[in-house]
Amino acid sequence: MACATVRSAMSSQHLHDYRSFWQVLALTMEPASPALLNRKPGKKTAPLFNVDMYKYIFGQSVYQTIVILDAP
């Protein structure tokens, strides 16, 4: 009997986490604008990362390395 209670409590927690994830995702997404819906799709050969993304990734990696090495 106790095992069934623990199992149902765990299932309830997983369901709560699943619902919370989708609620947060829904709140963070912006509604699609007509301009966004009407734009043409990108080329299949377009790069996945652009120059700004590479700069951001490099900057984050340098920052994280400094923080990790500076930690006592």
Side-chain angles (χ1 to χ4, degrees):
M1 181 89 164
C3 183
T5 305
V6 171
R7 196 175 311 143
S8 66
M10 288 177 60
S11 297
S12 176
Q13 182 62 37
H14 286 271
L15 182 61
H16 175 71
D17 291 344
Y18 180 76
R19 287 181 180 169
S20 296
F21 169 76
W22 287 110
Q23 290 169 351
V24 168
L25 186 64
L27 288 173
T28 58
M29 293 182 65
E30 298 179 12
S33 65
L36 181 64
L37 294 173
N38 291 329
R39 73 179 175 95
K40 293 185 178 184
K43 296 180 180 179
K44 289 185 178 181
T45 58
L48 185 59
F49 300 114
N50 61 20
V51 175
D52 291 333
M53 290 178 181
Y54 280 118
K55 290 178 186 176
Y56 182 74
I57 292 169
F58 178 73
Q60 281 295 313
S61 62
V62 169
Y63 172 75
Q64 290 177 6
T65 303
I66 292 170
V67 168
I68 289 171
L69 293 178
D70 192 38

